[in-house]
Amino acid sequence: MHSKKTYTVQEATRKLEHYCAYQERCHQEVRKKLESLHMIPEAIDMIIVHLLEHNFLNEERFAKTFVSGKFKIKAWGRRRLTYELKKKDIGKVNINQALAEIENTEYIEVFNGLAEKKANSITETNKHKKKRKLIDYLLYRGWETHLVYEKARELFG
């Protein structure tokens, strides 16, 4: 029978400093990681306070990095970004600050580019089904309903 590796608070703190330095993390991810290391709740709280005080953990910075990355790489709309951040227990203020970083002109450019690229790639011959597929795709990606339906009308009448 093999025993679980245990960590002292110092070892776990160092491990989590590296974990947070490697990539921005939210409180929820850090808490889960500490739980997976079998740390007791008091130790988890101590380590999280340490990470916050030493700026390894910063929810505002996490939210901004998350929004920037998912918007630029995955072309997610504001609704999907908000939803995913809420799932990670990020506060409304941090979510709104992060979303405010996206320029409106860039947002519309990305949306139009994504919509047109997807519209051209749909092989469906039935115009209504093609329109439906585009709408479903864009809504899934988190783009606002009014933008999606306007664009679908523009592209497919």
Side-chain angles (χ1 to χ4, degrees):
M1 194 175 142
H2 53 280
S3 61
K4 293 180 273 191
K5 169 127 176 69
T6 55
Y7 295 90
T8 66
V9 171
Q10 286 73 28
E11 288 171 335
T13 302
R14 296 293 155 262
K15 200 170 177 63
L16 268 289
E17 283 177 354
H18 291 289
Y19 181 69
C20 293
Y22 173 73
Q23 179 184 319
E24 287 298 337
R25 310 284 180 180
C26 66
H27 290 46
Q28 190 186 69
E29 291 167 328
V30 169
R31 189 169 291 281
K32 277 191 180 132
K33 180 74 171 171
L34 286 164
E35 286 166 359
S36 78
L37 298 176
H38 309 290
M39 301 303 287
I40 60 170
E42 292 79 7
I44 290 175
D45 292 340
M46 269 176 52
I47 294 169
I48 287 177
V49 166
H50 168 85
L51 294 171
L52 287 165
E53 284 172 350
H54 294 84
N55 213 15
F56 284 99
L57 193 56
N58 179 323
E59 214 145 76
E60 180 186 342
R61 198 174 58 214
F62 169 80
K64 287 180 178 178
T65 306
F66 182 89
V67 163
S68 169
K70 299 296 182 193
F71 174 67
K72 287 187 172 80
I73 296 161
K74 292 194 170 185
W76 284 359
R78 288 190 178 107
R79 291 177 63 190
R80 176 84 184 263
L81 292 166
T82 302
Y83 171 75
E84 295 292 338
L85 286 171
K86 280 182 181 170
K87 266 188 6 191
K88 294 180 178 291
D89 289 331
I90 305 298
K92 222 180 192 112
V93 171
N94 287 332
I95 292 174
N96 292 336
Q97 281 180 329
L99 292 175
E101 303 259 310
I102 303 172
E103 290 291 324
N104 260 339
T105 50
E106 185 187 4
Y107 188 74
I108 297 301
E109 276 172 25
V110 168
F111 171 74
N112 286 330
L114 180 70
E116 283 156 24
K117 185 178 172 192
K118 183 63 181 176
N120 292 333
S121 75
I122 299 171
T123 55
E124 182 64 58
T125 50
N126 180 315
K127 199 168 110 174
H128 292 294
K129 285 184 182 173
K130 195 170 182 168
K131 186 176 180 179
R132 182 80 250 155
K133 282 185 177 187
L134 176 70
I135 289 169
D136 289 346
Y137 174 80
L138 294 171
L139 290 175
Y140 173 76
R141 283 291 185 82
W143 295 91
E144 290 84 341
T145 316
H146 70 278
L147 288 175
V148 171
Y149 284 98
E150 213 172 278
K151 192 67 180 176
R153 267 194 304 280
E154 177 193 313
L155 293 172
F156 301 115

